[in-house]
Structure formats: structure tokens, C-alpha cells
Amino acid sequence: MKDKIMISRLANKKILLGLTGGIACYKVADLCRSLRKLGAEVQVVMTQSATQFITPVTMQALSGNPVYTDQWDTRFANNMPHIDLTRDVDAILIAPCSTNFMYKLAHGACDDLLSTLCIARPNHVPLMIAPAMNVEMWTNPATQRNLAQIKQDGLHIFGPAAGEQACGEVGMGRMLEPSDILAELEAAFQKKTLAGKQVLITAGPTFEPIDPVRGITNLSSGKMGYAIAQAAWEAGANVTLVSGPSALTTPYGVSRISVQTAQQMHDAVMAQLNFRRKDIFIAVAAVADWRIANTSDQKIKKTADSPTPQLVFTENPDILANVAARKDPPYCVGFAAESENLLEYAAAKRIKKNVPLLVGNIGHQTFGQDENELVLFDANGHQALPRADKLSLARLLVDEIGARV
Ligand code: C5P
């Protein structure tokens, strides 16, 4: 968790967390804790309905601040909590946001503390909501009308998700999980350097089978590629991640296509490019240069008289070079994992692969690690990014790519 605090965009942010009536209030206890762990300061305000689901005492303990529920709270010397509570916040997040509260936001109602402070917030304070309600309430035309209105008013809408609901029905209206709300919140504080761009990324190792139970792979974990996918989504891109075998969770907002071999990765990338034009292709995967030509359909048996198996290799397609060689290619970014002479080898690799930007690192210092050191090579020379955790580097790299496309 320590490195998370270091890298979170929510560190030192002041968030006004508003709770309205809904069973999802219990999840917001966890959200509140996570916000504080990431270094944010949290001020909770609850509607009367919310207090039916979780107590202000619980939220006070978790947020470390007094909780306000009443417009007429005399703890404010000037008796104006609806003004004072929002003057120094970085964002207001309403989670869960009920159908009724969406109606109030759409119509500018001011009939309790939370609705009044939303209207009274300064213009620069973003208002974000995580709706949570029964599927029929969500799909009701009145709710959808209110949704369209608050979208037009510039509110950020996080979710909802589809799935099983507390009432037993199934469908759209579940509140996003706290981790997904945090991802949305982090992204809301990110510069949109790739707004609207279509981005395709490869990540992770590949696995080249020898027989049905054995194969050849490498030590890549996928962490760098997944971090870049997350950073690109945060920067406003539509991101597709073609991933070799990796234990990592797909970043929120990113579509992932799972593959095993280099050939499958190649085919998935080409299919994506043929399906829809991409603006940017970032090849982060540690792709096997060779695959085994004489694979066995059966498990190779070791018996007393069997000869030692002889593997025959054949070359895999170079995905990055093939993408760069297409007619009207996307902006291509390659990676070079070297074990020595990084500056010389990486600069040569950029020219050989014919890509405008190549990112160099030292392979054995990055594979599986949480931190990395990157050097960017382009037509103008090279530039080192400072050693940092992979997500921070990914965000810097995405900004660099955004400035170039
Ligand atoms: O030639 P080398 O494997 O060092 O090149 C590394 C770069 O090329 C990385 O961006 C990697 O993802 C990409 N690559 C590829 N297909 C291959 C081999 C490497 O896309 N078969």
C-alpha cells in the first residue's frame, strides 16, 4: 500500500463524500477507508435516508472528521454549512447516488444539506456521482431524463454497473465497486492528453508450447504494459490491451484480449487494426522471437530408451515491425529490453523497427519489478525519465506520447 500512497493522484486531495439512501452505503465505508489510505482528506455529508443504512458514527470513525447531516447544524459559527463545507474541497463525490438525489440534482433542489451544498459549490469544484438503484428505477424514463440533464450540466457519472441487486432483481443500476470508483476518481484528476484516441497495447510475456503441458516463456509480468493501459485510459483514450499470460487484473475501463503465443498476439493485433483504425500502437509485450516448430500433440514421455528430445525453432512474426510497415500505420511506440549498451542498442532498434518512439530499459532490472527506469529515443535523440514506480512512469510516458501525436 505504501507505493500506492506515493503514486495516487488523490494524495492531499480534499474530497467531500456525500451519501444518499441505498444499501450500497455499506460499500462506501470501504471507499472512505481507501480514499484515506491513498492520502485524501475526506469530509462526509449524509442525507437522512443514508443514515438509515449506515450510521454517521461509523463514517466519522472511518473519515476521521465529524459527519454533517443537517442544514441547520449549529457547529458552524455562521450557520452556513452548505457554504463552508465546499469552499476548500477538490471534488464532491456522491456515492451512492439515489434516483431521488439525481432528480434533485437535475432540478436544482435545495431541501437538505447535501443537495444545497451541491448547488452552492464553487464553479471549479467538480461534482461526481456513483448512481445505485434498482434496475427499473434506473431504466425509468424519468431517471434517464434526469441523467441526460445532469450530464449536460457537466456532472461526472461513474457507472452504474449491471448485475445482481440487493432486491434480488438483476440488471443495470448496481453501484460500481469501490476500486472502480477510485479508478474513475483518479482519472478525473488526470490531464486528458489522449482524449478520444484509439490506443492498442501489447503486454506481458508470450508462451510457446513444446507439448500440451510444457512451453517456453520469459519473466515479463505485464506490469509495465498494464500500467500504460491504465494511464492511457485515464488520459481519455479508448484502450484495447492484447495480453500474454499474466496474473494481473485488467485495469478499469480497458478491454483486454488474452492470448498465449506470439502468433496469436500478432493475429489479435492485426484483427484489431483491421476492425478499427487505431491512432497509437504501443508494443510493450516481451514477445518470444522463436517458437517451437516440432511441437508434440502428446506429452513427451521420458522412458529408459527414449532419446533426449531435440527442439527445432522457427521465427515468430515481428508484430511491431509489421504494424509499423502497414500503409497508414498508427503512431508506433516500441520497447527495448536490453541487458547492456542500452543507449547504442535502443537507438539502433528504433531505426531498424522504423518507429518514431522507442522506450529503452534494462530487461533484468524491470521484469517483474514494481519500479523501472525508462529512456525515450526519438528522431531528436534520447531523454531519460527518472526512476519511479511503473504507474508514475506510464503516466509520464502517456503525456510524452500525447505531446507527439
Ligand atoms: O527486437 P526486440 O524483441 O528487442 O524488440 C522489442 C520490441 O518489439 C518491443 O516493443 C516488443 O513488444 C516488440 N516485438 C514485437 N514482436 C516480436 C518481437 C518484439 O512486437 N516478435
Side-chain angles (χ1 to χ4, degrees):
M1 215 54 202
K2 195 161 158 277
D3 56 343
K4 273 256 166 189
I5 291 171
M6 199 169 64
I7 62 181
S8 175
R9 299 214 171 262
L10 302 177
N12 305 318
K13 293 279 188 296
K14 185 163 181 188
I15 309 294
L16 190 144
L17 179 60
L19 281 73
T20 72
I23 191 67
C25 277
Y26 82 92
K27 291 189 180 177
V28 175
D30 189 30
L31 175 67
C32 180
R33 272 191 95 214
S34 302
L35 279 168
R36 290 196 67 206
K37 275 191 181 172
L38 293 171
E41 189 187 336
V42 184
Q43 171 61 64
V44 173
V45 175
M46 299 170 73
T47 64
Q48 283 303 325
S49 311
T51 64
Q52 297 290 321
F53 292 90
I54 190 166
T55 69
V57 175
T58 302
M59 294 310 295
Q60 174 166 351
L62 294 172
S63 66
N65 276 318
V67 170
Y68 298 102
T69 58
D70 183 8
Q71 204 168 345
W72 314 116
D73 197 309
T74 50
R75 283 174 286 180
F76 285 82
N78 61 1
N79 232 280
M80 293 187 190
H82 65 293
I83 304 291
D84 289 10
L85 283 170
T86 61
R87 288 308 178 260
D88 61 347
V89 298
D90 294 291
I92 299 175
L93 168 64
I94 312 290
C97 185
S98 64
T99 327
N100 183 50
F101 205 77
M102 283 176 65
Y103 158 78
K104 289 202 210 185
L105 290 173
H107 291 83
C110 293
D111 58 1
D112 62 7
L113 175 58
L114 191 57
S115 57
T116 309
L117 70 79
C118 285
I119 297 282
R121 77 188 189 283
N123 198 27
H124 67 267
V125 173
L127 177 52
M128 304 155 184
I129 67 165
M133 64 198 70
N134 165 272
V135 56
E136 301 296 348
M137 295 169 98
W138 175 253
T139 50
N140 188 288
T143 309
Q144 292 300 313
R145 267 200 312 277
N146 293 331
L147 175 67
Q149 182 62 56
I150 58 183
K151 272 187 182 166
Q152 195 184 324
D153 293 345
L155 272 65
H156 302 237
I157 320 292
F158 298 167
E164 214 171 288
Q165 306 199 308
C167 53
E169 295 182 6
V170 177
M172 201 69 174
R174 271 170 65 104
M175 192 181 77
L176 289 188
E177 293 303 321
S179 58
D180 296 341
I181 294 176
L182 287 177
E184 289 274 15
L185 198 53
E186 292 244 7
F189 287 107
Q190 175 79 20
K191 272 187 291 167
K192 301 297 171 198
T193 44
L194 296 183
K197 299 282 183 217
Q198 298 290 329
V199 176
L200 182 62
I201 300 174
T202 65
T206 58
F207 179 91
E208 304 297 335
I210 297 172
D211 68 16
V213 295
R214 302 188 183 91
I216 295 179
T217 186
N218 59 60
L219 289 174
S220 166
S221 60
K223 284 179 186 168
M224 193 68 232
Y226 278 57
I228 292 170
Q230 177 178 336
W233 173 78
E234 288 175 348
N238 190 329
V239 183
T240 306
L241 178 66
V242 179
S243 173
S246 167
L248 298 175
T249 308
T250 309
Y252 176 80
V254 169
S255 342
R256 166 171 159 182
I257 300 167
S258 296
V259 296
Q260 193 179 51
T261 66
Q263 186 65 51
Q264 289 167 355
M265 187 173 275
H266 172 272
D267 294 349
V269 164
M270 295 306 160
Q272 278 298 312
L273 292 172
N274 292 336
F275 169 65
R276 184 171 189 173
R277 204 197 121 67
K278 303 286 186 237
D279 300 295
I280 299 165
F281 174 60
I282 313 175
V284 196
V287 185
D289 290 322
W290 300 280
R291 66 177 175 276
I292 291 126
N294 57 339
T295 53
S296 168
D297 290 342
Q298 310 294 336
K299 183 182 173 199
I300 302 170
K301 286 276 179 216
K302 180 184 166 199
T303 55
D305 52 354
S306 62
T308 306
Q310 301 292 317
L311 298 180
V312 178
F313 289 90
T314 183
E315 202 171 325
N316 273 325
D318 188 321
I319 306 168
L320 176 59
N322 285 354
V323 173
R326 282 169 71 101
K327 203 157 78 119
D328 193 19
Y331 183 86
C332 286
V333 182
F335 265 70
E338 305 294 347
S339 58
E340 54 182 349
N341 291 345
L342 179 65
L343 294 188
E344 186 190 327
Y345 289 167
K349 189 164 288 182
R350 188 188 77 79
I351 291 163
K352 184 172 144 232
K353 301 244 179 189
N354 193 24
V355 294
L357 182 63
L358 191 116
V359 184
N361 54 21
I362 298 291
H364 56 276
Q365 288 174 6
T366 174
F367 278 13
Q369 305 294 314
D370 290 327
E371 286 198 348
N372 200 2
E373 232 166 295
L374 300 178
V375 187
L376 311 191
F377 297 82
D378 65 11
N380 297 323
H382 69 269
Q383 167 199 350
L385 299 183
R387 185 167 185 82
D389 61 276
K390 287 183 174 173
L391 185 55
S392 300
L393 284 173
R395 286 168 173 162
L396 289 176
L397 177 61
V398 158
D399 284 348
E400 291 287 339
I401 294 171
R404 287 169 165 84
V405 291

